[in-house]
Amino acid sequence: MNVREVGEVGRAEEEYKKNVEWIPCMRTSFLTGISSGLGAGILFFLFTSRSSQSVSVGATVNLVVTLGRYFQCRWDRSQSAFEARKMKHALTTMSELRGTEEDPELERRGD
Amino acid sequence: MLARTVSASARRALRPQLGFRTDFRSSVVLPMAQKRNASQSAPSWLIDVFESPPVVFAEQTLTKIHELSGLPWWASIVISTIGIRVFVTFPLAIYSEANLAKLASLEPEAREINQILKEDTVLAKHKFNLTEQQATKLYRINLKKQMGLLIERNNCHPAKSFFLSLFQIPVWVSLSFALRDMAFAGKYGVYEYMSMSTEGIFWAKNLIHPDPFLILPVMTAVMNLTNTELYQLKSNLPRSKFLKIFHNFSRVASVIVIPVGLVMPSAACLYWFCSASTATGQQLILLSPRFRRLVRIPPSPKEDPTPYSTIWSNFQSRILRRGK
């Protein structure tokens, strides 16, 4: 690894820290949180006419939904990453074993 | 003339393939499809708007109404506009009027509270040796608090009406964008686009082109102006400077429709016209005291018992400059 590559990796990391869009799930969770917070605040206001309380309701809903969406999204991501890893392992094993005596296909076919 | 030749050639090009709606855009190159491709290289935010859920929903609803009713496109646009007005906007407007009427009917109670607070302030001033400034500040804080409590008790905050009136904007925007998207052979293949090009009204048979005689944009502008003037004519109260600026701004905004109508497909213009004229009807009917009692808007001191003659006399004195 030469100097230039190291520099680029460093810059990418900096960008990563700066840019919210680069963090997986962050953008969707922010957007969902903001819109549902606004919606909940306005709805609460329409039903009760309490201005200060509806602001706190909106803020709370925003916080809860942002965090909830983020964790849910990361959970889904990790699940699918796990599935992908299992699939990759299965595919590599299959390619390694194909044509050898340990080929599971042989057993399955009953040859 | 140009419009007719384009749509005729498009129809000729499409005729053999009418059965295969899925494959349309890849197999047939239309003049309008080329235009669509040009609009796909348009700014990305515009594409985002076209693909946003409200616009997609509006498109699907319009298509469903057109398919289920079997009416020509102009009639389905008119019917969906009236449907939205009757089932969504009108109930919200009634609720918002009821809210304002409730607020206005609280005025005597508010005056009473104000009187009590003034007396209390005088007492407190003597009792605690307050300066004039401190006493005024105390009075203001208490007045604000008490008015807030009064409004909360009756659930009639004026901002409620404001939020409800804002709700029309996304509806209007998404329907306009949906119609524009469909008129440029949008997401659902060319079927809607094709039927739109033949199912127009008398002078604008082709709804995907701008109105050749500019009748629709001009009528829309006239209806918008009527709305603006009605809003101003229905009250006898002296107008604030802000209201005057707002009024002039909306006058300009109503006329801007005409140059925009030169480039918008007449489907969207037809929608605007219908929306504006139903808004006029809504504004007029919501003034009638009998209708207000019918939909249970509480009577308020600000309500005009003879709204239509007020409008007429205001029209004569302010716009025709007669009388007085």
Side-chain angles (χ1 to χ4, degrees), chain A residues 42 45-52, chain B residues 95 152 155-157 159-160 163-164:
Chain A
I42 288 175
F45 178 73
L46 286 180
F47 280 109
T48 60
S49 287
R50 292 177 195 163
S51 40
S52 57
Chain B
Y95 183 71
E152 261 177 39
N155 194 4
C156 58
H157 202 289
K160 267 166 81 170
F163 280 125
L164 289 176

Side-chain angles (χ1 to χ4, degrees), chain B residues 100-115:
Chain B
L100 290 178
K102 235 198 252 174
L103 185 70
S105 62
L106 285 182
E107 212 179 305
E109 204 176 339
R111 222 174 280 139
E112 226 171 81
I113 290 175
N114 189 11
Q115 195 55 42

Side-chain angles (χ1 to χ4, degrees), chain B residues 310-322:
Chain B
T310 310
I311 287 177
W312 180 239
S313 64
N314 278 345
F315 176 73
Q316 283 188 326
S317 62
R318 285 189 207 165
I319 293 182
L320 302 179
R321 311 225 177 252
R322 268 186 221 148

Side-chain angles (χ1 to χ4, degrees), chain B residues 64-279:
Chain B
K64 275 243 168 69
I65 288 171
H66 177 238
E67 280 176 3
L68 289 178
S69 66
L71 291 168
W73 262 111
W74 70 266
S76 23
I77 289 172
V78 171
I79 280 189
S80 12
T81 319
I82 293 174
I84 289 166
R85 184 62 69 177
V86 170
F87 292 111
V88 183
T89 326
F90 197 43
L92 287 181
I94 289 171
Y95 183 71
S96 141
E97 279 292 314
N99 184 42
L100 290 178
K102 235 198 252 174
L103 185 70
S105 62
L106 285 182
E107 212 179 305
E109 204 176 339
R111 222 174 280 139
E112 226 171 81
I113 290 175
N114 189 11
Q115 195 55 42
I116 294 170
L117 277 180
K118 266 182 187 162
E119 285 162 14
D120 278 5
T121 315
V122 174
L123 271 181
K125 197 180 162 190
H126 287 295
K127 197 171 176 184
F128 303 114
N129 264 339
L130 300 175
T131 62
E132 188 65 42
Q133 231 175 353
Q134 282 171 324
T136 323
K137 205 177 168 187
L138 205 64
Y139 162 74
R140 277 197 191 136
I141 290 171
N142 275 323
L143 185 69
K144 205 179 162 191
K145 196 176 161 191
Q146 292 301 325
M147 291 300 127
L149 283 177
L150 192 66
I151 283 170
E152 261 177 39
R153 198 193 69 202
N154 291 283
N155 194 4
C156 58
H157 202 289
K160 267 166 81 170
S161 298
F162 173 69
F163 280 125
L164 289 176
S165 67
L166 281 190
F167 183 76
Q168 318 179 23
I169 297 173
V171 172
W172 190 87
V173 168
S174 51
L175 266 169
S176 306
F177 271 98
L179 283 168
R180 188 196 169 281
D181 190 40
M182 284 157 91
F184 279 81
K187 305 172 194 81
Y188 307 105
V190 193
Y191 175 69
E192 278 75 39
Y193 156 73
M194 271 198 59
S195 49
M196 256 192 184
S197 67
T198 53
E199 295 173 2
I201 32 176
F202 311 112
W203 66 91
K205 273 284 175 225
N206 190 342
L207 284 177
I208 60 178
H209 287 294
D211 188 345
F213 298 106
L214 264 183
I215 295 174
L216 278 174
V218 169
M219 284 197 326
T220 313
V222 168
M223 282 331 276
N224 281 342
L225 274 178
T226 316
N227 278 333
T228 331
E229 298 306 318
L230 261 183
Y231 186 77
Q232 175 241 350
L233 290 176
K234 71 185 176 188
S235 84
N236 271 328
L237 303 170
R239 292 181 306 146
S240 64
K241 200 174 180 187
F242 171 75
L243 263 185
K244 273 181 190 164
I245 292 171
F246 178 73
H247 184 209
N248 283 330
F249 174 75
S250 27
R251 273 173 174 162
V252 174
S254 342
V255 180
I256 280 180
V257 175
I258 297 177
V260 174
L262 282 170
V263 289
M264 275 302 255
S266 44
C269 269
L270 181 65
Y271 164 63
W272 291 348
F273 171 68
C274 289
S275 167
S277 31
T278 46

Side-chain angles (χ1 to χ4, degrees), chain A residues 83-96:
Chain A
E83 291 290 318
R85 221 158 57 220
K86 276 207 296 196
M87 184 57 88
K88 192 182 171 190
H89 175 74
L91 287 172
T92 32
T93 325
M94 197 188 78
S95 340
E96 276 167 11

Side-chain angles (χ1 to χ4, degrees), chain B residues 285-299:
Chain B
I285 202 170
L286 271 178
L287 286 173
S288 148
R290 203 184 286 172
F291 182 78
R292 287 168 82 94
R293 293 302 88 72
L294 190 72
V295 293
R296 294 190 194 146
I297 296 175

